[in-house]
Structures are given as structure tokens and as C-alpha cells.
């Protein structure tokens, strides 16, 4: 009997990133080179776990991924599940993983898991983590407890929710965290153990509009207002501000937002890296009470980058009026 035929179907695609990188000429650094097949060759166990469908969808550094490419990746992944895949894995660069995972999570309609992983060390570096991350991603993808959790990020044997995960270190192996909540679970000796129950998921329809842009500005000490004032003039459809502390800007930025917020959706999130924005604590000019009175939305638990993804997708499907209900406290 063909034992392979009894194994679940698992679809794996690669987009590039350090997990696909190798060194070339001396001094030239590492670059994306390995397609998905080559990456999988270093993890022979995968073929004993599942029937694999393999695709190389890109060979990019993840800073160069974009929304249009992600919509194509999503269409591929949806097709795989519709054709019977138990789960889908994507490998990509870690630099933008916290954003791409959230983008895909907001549009992922299935119970079947979409698991994303990468590597902090290139394939040509000693101690590279790509193969171990791929194996853990497959264990997570095939685990029954992963169903209904949307897009999951698996790095360093931890399983993170797409809405919470952040890259918090530039080069360390343990580069991913879910500040405040911690990871959803871990892979322990090949077994996936969830520490947190699956939450209720909200999913958006595919955007009908994709040509619009959402700006992201960071509030910082003694910042002038020139860029802020230019946002409407430049045709941005929305604005996210990475605000001070619990979601604050200077009094001069607050004055500009008084004129801007009635004309386009504005979110102020926190630039601190952890914790929610406030809603009812601070009453100074530029504090959250003042900002909300001007029509600004507070980012809640979402980091500024994820706020921008959310706002872009909401505008894309004509749902910007629902923004408030998508910003978790
Ligand atoms: N820093 C790299 C990575 O970890 C590059 C990238 O994101 O493509 O994958």
C-alpha cells in the first residue's frame, strides 16, 4: 500500500528572505537564492509527515514585498486549501513578517491554518535556524489545535498570533515576541502545546480598491508639522501616527489633526512597543481625550504598523466606518 497517499496534504511556498539566502562573492553579503524545493531538502522529515505541494512564489528580501504581491500569495494559498490542503506554510523574510502575517490573517477565511516562518540566520551561516523553523511550522500546521486560529507565526519553537507578533530584535535568534500576551503556544519535542485558547476571529472581504495609500508617521520630540500637514495634500486615504506613550502627540500636531481628522481616517497608536493606548486617562492637548474629541481613533492593542495594514484593508473594502470596532482595547 502507498503510505504517502494516507498522509495529509500540506502546501508550502517560499517568498525569499534570509531563510532562502546564501553567500555569494566574498564581501557581497547573503542574498535570496534558494527556491522552496531547496529549502525543503534540508528538512527530509517533512516528506514523512505529509504529501507536499511546493511552490516558489518569490525570491525577495521581505522589505520589498507589497500588498499586491500578498494578494497573489493569498490567492495561491486559498486555492491550495480549496483543492484539499490540510494547511499552508509560507516562508519569507523576517523583517516584514509581523505585517504580512497580519495582512493575510485579516483576509484568511478558513479554519485550515496558514503558518508563516523564516530564519534569522542565512542558509549558508553556521547554526542556521531555517530547517528547525520549517519543521516546527509543519508540526504546527498539521496540529488539530491550530485549526481556527487564522495565520500563525512560528519562530524559535514559539507560535504567535498574527495580530500580536512583533519582531523585537534585529539580529538575535529569539527575535519574535507577542508583547503583553506572550506566544499562543510552543512546540515542545515536536508536540504543539497551546497556552492560550483560540480567540474569536473577524475576517474582511478581499479589497475592491488597491490603489490607495495610508501614511505612517512617528511622533517624536520637537517634530515640526510639515509632513503631517502634507498628508492630505499628497492624497493619502488615511493616516496612522506612532504616538508617544499611551497614544499622544504634541499640542502642535494636535492642532493639525483638528483639521485633518474630519477629512480622512486617522489612528494614533503607541510607539512604545507594548501595551494598549489609553482612552480616558489624559486630558492635555495632544492626549487621547483631546485626540478622540477631534475624531482621531486610538490604536488600542495594535501596533502602528498593524494599524496601517488594517486601515488599508478597511478602506479597500469600503469599511472605514467600521474602524472603531476593529481596534481591540
Ligand atoms: N532580515 C532578513 C530576514 O530575516 C531579510 C528579510 O526580511 O528578507 O529574513
Amino acid at each position: 500500500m502507498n503510505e504517502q497517499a494516507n498522509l495529509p496534504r500540506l502546501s508550502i511556498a517560499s517568498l525569499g528572505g534570509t531563510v532562502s539566502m546564501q553567500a555569494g562573492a566574498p564581501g557581497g553579503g547573503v542574498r535570496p537564492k534558494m527556491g522552496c524545493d531547496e529549502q525543503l531538502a534540508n528538512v527530509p522529515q517533512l516528506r514523512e509527515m505529509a504529501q507536499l505541494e511546493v511552490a516558489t512564489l518569490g525570491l525577495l528580501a521581505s522589505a520589498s514585498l507589497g500588498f499586491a504581491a500578498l494578494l497573489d500569495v493569498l490567492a495561491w494559498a486559498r486555492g491550495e486549501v480549496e483543492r484539499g490542503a490540510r494547511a499552508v506554510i509560507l516562508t519569507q523574510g523576517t523583517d516584514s513578517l509581523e505585517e504580512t502575517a497580519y495582512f493575510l490573517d485579516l483576509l484568511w477565511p478558513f479554519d485550515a491554518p496558514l503558518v508563516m516562518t523564516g530564519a534569522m540566520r542565512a542558509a549558508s551561516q553556521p547554526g542556521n535556524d531555517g530547517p528547525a523553523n520549517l519543521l516546527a511550522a509543519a508540526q504546527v500546521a498539521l496540529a488539530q489545535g491550530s485549526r481556527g486560529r487564522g495565520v500563525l507565526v512560528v519562530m524559535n519553537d514559539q507560535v504567535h498570533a498574527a495580530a500580536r507578533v512583533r519582531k523585537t530584535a534585529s539580529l538575535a535568534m529569539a527575535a519574535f515576541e507577542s508583547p503583553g500576551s506572550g506566544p499562543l503556544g510552543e512546540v515542545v519535542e515536536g508536540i504543539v502545546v497551546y497556552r492560550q485558547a483560540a480567540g474569536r476571529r473577524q475576517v474582511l472581504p478581499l479589497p475592491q480598491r488597491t490603489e490607495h495609500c495610508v501614511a505612517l508617521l512617528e511622533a517624536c520630540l520637537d517634530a515640526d508639522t510639515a509632513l503631517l500637514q502634507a498628508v492630505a495634500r499628497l492624497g493619502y486615504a488615511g493616516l496612522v501616527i506612532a504616538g508617544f506613550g499611551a497614544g499622544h502627540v504634541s499640542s502642535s500636531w494636535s492642532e493639525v489633526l483638528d483639521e485633518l481628522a474630519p477629512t480622512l481616517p486617522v489612528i494614533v497608536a503607541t510607539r512604545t512597543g507594548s501595551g494598549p493606548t489609553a482612552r480616558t486617562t489624559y486630558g492635555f492637548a495632544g492626549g487621547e481625550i483631546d485626540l478622540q474629541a477631534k475624531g482621531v481613533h486610538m490604536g488600542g492593542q495594535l501596533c502602528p504598523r498593524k494599524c496601517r495594514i488594517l486601515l488599508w484593508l478597511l478602506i479597500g473594502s469600503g469599511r472605514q466606518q467600521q474602524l472603531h470596532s476593529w481596534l481591540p482595547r
Side-chain angles (χ1 to χ4, degrees):
M1 192 180 71
N2 179 358
E3 285 178 16
Q4 262 280 315
N6 295 327
L7 295 176
R9 276 192 50 199
L10 181 60
S11 298
I12 309 183
S14 61
L15 305 177
T18 296
V19 68
S20 73
M21 293 192 195
Q22 286 177 329
V30 296
R31 291 168 184 237
K33 285 204 175 113
M34 297 161 69
C36 201
D37 269 320
E38 252 187 293
Q39 290 177 40
L40 298 189
N42 295 325
V43 200
Q45 302 89 327
L46 293 185
R47 297 205 182 265
E48 291 158 23
M49 296 163 68
Q51 304 177 61
L52 304 183
E53 284 294 326
V54 180
T56 300
L57 301 180
L59 268 180
L60 288 174
S62 71
S64 297
L65 291 169
F67 296 155
L70 287 179
L71 290 172
D72 289 344
V73 170
L74 179 71
W76 173 84
R78 289 174 72 131
E80 292 302 299
V81 173
E82 279 154 10
R83 284 188 286 278
R86 163 91 74 92
V88 177
I89 296 177
L90 295 173
T91 69
Q92 69 150 80
T94 61
D95 287 356
S96 65
L97 184 51
E98 64 190 273
E99 290 171 77
T100 57
Y102 186 55
F103 182 98
L104 293 172
D105 185 58
L106 287 172
L107 300 172
W108 187 246
F110 304 111
D111 278 346
L114 174 53
V115 179
M116 302 182 70
T117 192
M120 292 303 295
R121 288 192 187 151
S124 55
Q125 280 181 286
N128 70 78
D129 49 334
N133 285 339
L134 248 171
L135 180 59
Q139 287 158 341
V140 169
L142 297 174
Q144 186 60 27
S146 301
R147 296 187 69 76
R149 292 180 185 267
V151 176
L152 298 167
V153 171
V154 175
M155 289 292 291
N156 205 27
D157 280 341
Q158 292 185 323
V159 189
H160 296 274
R164 306 306 301 268
V165 69
R166 296 187 196 178
K167 187 174 185 180
T168 56
S170 56
L171 289 167
M173 297 288 268
F176 284 82
E177 286 178 83
S178 295
S181 60
L184 292 175
E186 292 165 296
V187 182
V188 183
E189 297 179 313
I191 307 294
V192 185
V193 182
Y194 281 102
R195 310 277 181 214
Q196 294 182 34
R200 195 176 64 85
R201 298 192 63 230
Q202 276 180 294
V203 179
L204 282 168
L206 288 171
Q208 296 109 38
R209 265 184 76 184
T210 56
E211 77 294 346
H212 57 290
C213 295
V214 174
L216 171 54
L217 296 178
E218 180 160 313
C220 48
L221 194 64
D222 204 22
D224 62 70
T225 58
L227 286 176
L228 189 60
Q229 281 174 316
V231 166
R233 196 170 66 241
L234 291 173
Y236 285 97
L239 169 66
V240 176
I241 295 173
F244 294 102
H248 305 148
V249 299
S250 64
S251 53
S252 56
W253 275 38
S254 172
E255 275 173 35
V256 179
L257 290 178
D258 196 20
E259 298 196 350
L260 204 56
T263 68
L264 82 181
V266 178
I267 305 175
V268 174
T270 171
R271 67 175 201 174
T272 59
S274 173
T277 50
R279 287 197 182 168
T280 56
T281 302
Y282 289 101
F284 56 81
E288 74 278 2
I289 294 174
D290 167 48
L291 293 174
Q292 289 171 106
K294 291 173 171 160
V296 169
H297 299 266
M298 303 309 295
Q301 294 282 352
L302 284 184
C303 75
R305 296 175 290 279
K306 292 186 202 281
C307 284
R308 176 174 166 270
I309 300 280
L310 173 67
L311 185 51
W312 189 86
L313 283 171
L314 283 171
I315 293 171
S317 63
R319 283 169 168 71
Q320 57 270 38
Q321 304 309 338
Q322 298 176 10
L323 178 55
H324 189 72
S325 67
W326 284 82
L327 293 169
R329 279 202 87 162

